[in-house]
Amino acid sequence: MIYILVGNDIKKKNAYLKKLFNSGEAIFISNINQNKEIFFDYANSVSLFGKSPTIISEDLLKKKEISFLKDEISLLEGSKTNFVFLEDKLLVPTFKEYQKYAEIENFDTQ
């Protein structure tokens, strides 16, 4: 499953994150280590203990250094691993690209 958390309300984002990985393992992939292979390795991995990790990445979609093709997005979506992309802002073209594959939550402070 893919979750995209957009906005600048860190407190609400963190509360939502806690519900997502609910005592499971959360793995943060730093900007330095972001590449497609890491995401696909986690998407294709199977946990021996029944609980898949939650993979968290920050500003991956905004930077556009890595872009996923539709079949690659579909692979991430269909995985038992949860992928969470934390974004400050999400441009309309990116929103349209991911809206049918991901659960997008807005956490902007008004």
Side-chain angles (χ1 to χ4, degrees), residues 5 22 33-34 37-38 41 45 72 74 87 94:
L5 309 183
N22 194 20
N33 296 326
Q34 290 176 348
E37 289 76 31
I38 289 175
D41 285 347
S45 68
E72 294 172 335
S74 183
E87 302 288 329
T94 306

Side-chain angles (χ1 to χ4, degrees), residues 3-21:
Y3 297 91
I4 301 173
L5 309 183
V6 183
N8 54 7
D9 192 331
I10 304 299
K11 188 182 262 188
K12 287 182 182 177
K13 272 187 183 178
N14 287 339
Y16 191 86
L17 274 174
K18 285 180 184 178
K19 285 192 286 185
L20 283 181
F21 61 83

